[in-house]
Amino acid sequence: MSETELFPPPKAFSKRAHIKSRKEYEAIYRQSVKNPSKFWAEKAKQLHWFKKWKRVFRYTKKPFVKWFEGGKINVSYNCLDRHLSTARKNKAALIWEGEPGDSKTYTYQELHLEVCRFANVLKKHRIKKGDRVCIYLPMIPQLAIAMLACTRIGAIHSVVFGGFSANSLRNRIQDSRAKMLITSDGSFRKGKIIPLKKMADEALAECPSVKTVIVCRRTGQKIPMKRKRDRWWDEEIKAEDISDVCKPAEMDAEDPLFILYTSGTTGKPKGILHTTGGYLVYVYQTFKWIFDIQEEDTHWCTADIGWVTGHSYIVYGPLANGATSLMFEGVPNYPKPDRFWEIVEKYKVTLFYTAPTAIRSIKQEGNQWPKRHDLSSLRLLGSVGEPINPEAWLWYHKMIGNRKCPIVDTWWQTETGGVLITPLPGAIPTKPGSATLPFPGIVPDVLDEKGRRAKINEGGYLVIKKPWPAMARTVWGNPKRFKEIYFGKFPGVYLTGDNAKIDKDGYFWVTGRTDDVIKISGHRFGTAEVESALTAHPAVAEAAAVPIPHPIKGQGLYVFVTLDKGIKQTPHLKKALFRQVAKEIWGIPPPWRILRWLHYCSSRGSFKIAVSVDIKDSGENLKIEPLPA
Ligand code: WTA
């Protein structure tokens, strides 16, 4: 793809967009970096504050920034109550589509009621401001309700992706010392049942901090409930002593809002902490401008809420804007490869936000699938999670967007809270594969090893030079690590861990990571996690995992394992190693399927084994070199 090939925003789109031209964007951008306090104060004013802030931001104790200090605000109030006195009160807030095809819609009023009642359930179980509540649920409405209920009373939620294993869940609960766990009897995955509660029980055997478990009914199978500890969601929320009214807690802008664990270069995943005021202002504003939200839009972000994309652009960003947000429990290719398009047609989705891996996997099934459906409601498409290759971009543009929808390729991270680099759809001409330009208020750059600005088109470290409202505040319980990881290389400058280049038009091209983080199907892993899962097996002496390019999943994994002296490689051991990784990281079959044994050779008395991701859809393209002796 030539870097000069530009796709200008469709005229009809620009005409009614929030930001209508590159010129307008540039004027806003200039002002936002010249006077960030003024810029962000104007944005923050659009939300409801119980008490106004004293100072927009303070960055004296670098890298620990404070935004909207002195301000008092409540997230659930802004996402729900604020809309009830407007025409939005009976508008759909959440449209939910279940994997088996069941569905449910909540208006703002209905969602408000559910959230208030559940917040009272939390209180009844002695959850207080600052307590951690772990949420381990499939993509069902209770997940969003539980998050909002936590924010209502000032509890800190920690959502753990429902695909993670009991061990991953245990590590996260132990690290945050959560007092409560919210889970479900089971979850659906491609028509099968995953025993979520069973995995939760396994994790909880080593989590003394958890006093109460709230269990949602989803799959309906019989599960053991532990006396005193375990309660059914539906019984709790219906109880007579649970009121419909719950006054929102007046939170300090810098009070913690949530912890979300994410993979890094070394060790176990770390708990990224986001706080209340800055995060909300930022996701509110980015959602508004990047998705160009209009009152009648139906927004569908296909991510799982277990990842940051779902937090910011299924729950908080859309609801803070009074938008209709669609939440889907299933996967793109079940029961058929047109599941996404069936849903777009059913709900007349207008804004559609997904990951390149999903686009590639649907594309390979053939054009007949999208062609079966009326996709004419779509007016904007988005991409997130990994670099999008120009071929997938063009297919998305032509087949799904019918050449009339702008594509926003949004670059961001768990740590950034919201999107930092992206086209504004009515203003910025796009180039397939480039996330284009910074969002107003964001100052990114590309530096070389010595911290000098890289030349045009020269790859280097992507950094952010100025603080922004939704910047992570710390690593839960480990501020030292936060400082070292993100501000250690170039002092005072946020290191993203990504590699990027800037072209002659000032467009950013993010090419991948500079560290040991990998993106498989857009899901973030550390190679170190896979390595330590393998070395936890008694037969394994050493393990090394390296990423390999994968045509659909973006990246795959290639793992080298050295067995302990005298241990023989057997099919049984191979299975045990696959199970080991599944047990430590993924409870459900991971998106990269099962690790596959490729070959092994001996090295000084021990065995070396190479295993790799199941590459069934790309077997021919992948060349595995013989291992070095
Ligand atoms: C990658 C997901 C290229 C990047 C929101 C980043 C991207 C990591 C893009 C964060 C994009 C995300 N183009 N790469 N548009 N978006 N990435 O924390 O490597 O799960 O550092 O947050 O995903 O992954 P995370």
Side-chain angles (χ1 to χ4, degrees):
M1 176 55 48
S2 125
E3 282 182 8
T4 49
E5 185 157 355
L6 279 179
F7 289 74
K11 281 207 178 69
F13 191 99
S14 299
K15 218 170 143 193
R16 67 184 295 237
H18 289 287
I19 312 294
K20 296 178 169 50
S21 66
R22 177 147 190 187
K23 210 169 137 212
E24 190 183 348
Y25 159 80
E26 273 165 6
I28 295 173
Y29 184 80
R30 265 197 309 279
Q31 185 250 326
S32 73
V33 295
K34 201 168 136 210
N35 194 345
S37 294
K38 181 160 173 268
F39 177 77
W40 289 113
E42 272 168 13
K43 305 304 163 219
K45 267 189 221 149
Q46 294 166 39
L47 297 177
H48 176 273
W49 295 79
F50 299 111
K51 191 173 155 222
K52 203 185 157 197
W53 56 89
K54 287 207 174 73
R55 202 191 313 227
V56 178
F57 76 102
R58 190 151 62 108
Y59 201 39
T60 43
K61 283 200 197 115
K62 282 184 185 171
F64 302 99
V65 70
K66 289 190 189 312
W67 283 87
F68 306 110
E69 255 182 309
K72 298 269 188 194
I73 189 167
N74 183 279
V75 169
S76 82
Y77 188 94
N78 275 286
C79 289
L80 302 167
D81 308 46
R82 200 162 65 92
H83 309 305
L84 299 186
S85 55
T86 73
R88 290 178 184 143
K89 71 175 190 289
N90 287 317
K91 175 179 176 177
L94 206 63
I95 298 177
W96 172 77
E97 171 86 9
E99 187 187 276
D102 45 346
S103 61
K104 195 170 159 83
T105 298
Y106 294 81
T107 64
Y108 273 93
Q109 281 205 86
E110 288 165 340
L111 192 59
H112 176 257
L113 180 68
E114 295 288 327
V115 168
C116 288
R117 290 189 71 92
F118 193 67
N120 286 328
V121 172
L122 294 176
K123 280 193 196 162
K124 181 171 159 185
H125 292 287
R126 290 193 276 282
I127 299 298
K128 295 183 302 296
K129 179 178 164 182
D131 286 344
R132 273 79 61 209
V133 173
C134 179
I135 306 176
Y136 181 56
L137 281 176
M139 283 285 282
I140 54 177
Q142 288 92 335
L143 171 48
I145 294 166
M147 291 163 77
L148 289 159
C150 285
T151 74
R152 192 149 192 100
I153 64 166
I156 306 169
H157 62 68
S158 158
V159 180
V160 176
F161 173 52
F164 279 132
S165 68
N167 283 4
S168 297
L169 175 65
R170 181 201 59 210
N171 293 342
R172 286 158 171 81
I173 296 177
Q174 285 179 345
D175 188 76
S176 64
R177 276 174 282 122
K179 251 170 100 173
M180 179 189 269
L181 175 70
I182 302 169
T183 187
S184 66
D185 47 1
S187 65
F188 292 118
R189 187 157 176 98
K190 296 195 178 184
K192 293 203 185 75
I193 289 178
I194 311 291
L196 227 54
K197 172 65 161 60
K198 189 169 154 251
M199 298 202 284
D201 282 336
E202 217 179 298
L204 290 178
E206 294 167 67
C207 297
S209 64
V210 173
K211 305 293 180 226
T212 315
V213 179
I214 307 276
V215 186
C216 303
R217 285 183 222 269
R218 176 60 186 132
T219 48
Q221 83 272 32
K222 235 178 129 45
I223 50 159
M225 294 286 278
K226 195 168 166 187
R227 248 171 56 90
K228 292 208 172 118
R229 189 194 70 180
D230 299 354
R231 319 268 169 158
W232 289 104
W233 173 295
D234 50 356
E235 288 170 14
E236 290 296 307
I237 203 151
K238 269 196 280 185
E240 266 184 22
D241 57 344
I242 293 300
S243 153
D244 289 352
V245 182
C246 177
K247 198 170 168 276
E250 298 192 2
M251 305 299 290
D252 281 324
E254 279 299 338
D255 276 336
L257 178 63
F258 66 81
I259 303 170
L260 185 56
Y261 286 84
T262 192
S263 303
T265 301
T266 53
K268 285 183 188 161
K270 47 196 185 297
I272 294 299
L273 181 77
H274 283 288
T275 57
T276 307
Y279 172 83
L280 192 66
V281 169
Y282 195 77
V283 296
Y284 167 78
Q285 193 57 41
T286 48
F287 183 74
K288 183 176 189 168
W289 278 355
I290 298 168
F291 297 94
D292 191 54
I293 190 73
Q294 308 287 344
E295 203 56 55
E296 67 279 11
D297 275 321
T298 299
H299 168 76
W300 181 18
C301 164
T302 69
D304 192 290
I305 294 178
W307 307 93
V308 75
T309 307
H311 280 60
S312 301
Y313 299 112
I314 296 177
V315 182
Y316 295 122
L319 298 183
N321 277 279
T324 298
S325 183
L326 197 148
M327 177 175 176
F328 173 50
E329 187 186 29
V331 294
N333 52 5
Y334 180 85
K336 299 238 170 63
D338 62 346
R339 189 68 196 273
F340 272 6
W341 318 129
E342 196 181 272
I343 296 173
V344 167
E345 186 173 9
K346 177 172 174 189
Y347 296 104
K348 305 281 177 273
V349 170
T350 56
L351 317 173
F352 179 74
Y353 190 33
T354 196
T357 187
I359 299 166
R360 289 187 295 257
S361 80
I362 304 171
K363 175 174 172 275
Q364 70 159 5
E365 302 285 350
N367 293 347
Q368 71 274 25
W369 297 102
K371 277 189 178 154
R372 275 187 200 178
H373 298 276
D374 175 10
L375 305 180
S376 61
S377 59
L378 290 170
R379 64 177 202 95
L380 177 143
L381 304 173
S383 171
V384 60
E386 44 173 330
I388 180 163
N389 47 311
E391 201 196 337
W393 194 103
L394 288 168
W395 183 83
Y396 199 29
H397 174 69
K398 288 180 197 150
M399 268 322 289
I400 307 305
N402 194 22
R403 298 173 201 262
K404 72 171 171 56
C405 302
I407 296 184
V408 290
D409 175 1
T410 62
W411 177 89
W412 60 298
Q413 311 177 295
T414 307
E415 294 87 339
T416 69
V419 175
L420 299 195
I421 306 179
T422 177
L424 294 184
I428 306 298
T430 50
K431 300 182 189 184
S434 168
T436 75
L437 299 169
F439 191 80
I442 303 301
V443 188
D445 208 346
V446 175
L447 304 181
D448 70 11
E449 195 59 45
K450 294 211 170 101
R452 290 176 304 219
R453 172 172 290 176
K455 294 192 192 76
I456 287 178
N457 285 328
E458 187 183 61
Y461 297 93
L462 177 65
V463 299
I464 314 293
K465 288 156 102 180
K466 292 272 158 60
W468 65 99
M471 174 173 158
R473 296 299 190 264
T474 191
V475 167
W476 181 252
N478 205 340
K480 203 169 143 236
R481 200 165 161 211
F482 177 74
K483 197 169 168 175
E484 280 165 11
I485 299 172
Y486 301 107
F487 297 87
K489 190 165 179 80
F490 307 115
V493 172
Y494 172 78
L495 182 74
T496 65
D498 277 351
N499 212 319
K501 61 176 190 172
I502 305 178
D503 71 14
K504 62 175 184 1
D505 298 325
Y507 277 34
F508 284 78
W509 298 76
V510 180
T511 47
R513 300 283 308 191
T514 59
D515 56 9
D516 296 324
V517 169
I518 47 168
K519 279 301 197 94
I520 302 176
S521 299
H523 290 169
R524 180 163 162 180
F525 288 91
T527 50
E529 287 161 63
V530 180
E531 288 161 1
S532 69
L534 285 164
T535 49
H537 192 280
V540 175
E542 278 177 88
V546 292
I548 48 162
H550 188 288
I552 306 293
K553 298 170 201 304
Q555 285 185 307
L557 251 198
Y558 187 30
V559 185
F560 299 81
V561 179
T562 308
L563 291 180
D564 259 347
K565 204 166 173 188
I567 297 202
K568 288 227 167 69
Q569 175 256 309
T570 61
H572 181 73
L573 179 58
K574 171 190 165 184
K575 275 204 188 118
L577 291 186
F578 302 156
R579 270 203 307 272
Q580 177 74 14
V581 176
K583 186 173 138 231
E584 293 289 333
I585 306 174
W586 291 84
I588 56 169
W592 28 291
R593 304 306 253 186
I594 212 109
L595 293 168
R596 189 161 66 137
W597 198 292
L598 288 177
H599 53 232
Y600 67 99
C601 61
S602 86
S603 137
R604 284 194 222 100
S606 62
F607 285 92
K608 268 202 173 170
I609 311 165
V611 288
S612 116
V613 281
D614 179 7
I615 40 164
K616 81 177 174 331
D617 37 12
S618 67
E620 301 82 352
N621 302 336
L622 186 78
K623 281 210 181 62
I624 304 291
E625 303 295 329
L627 291 171

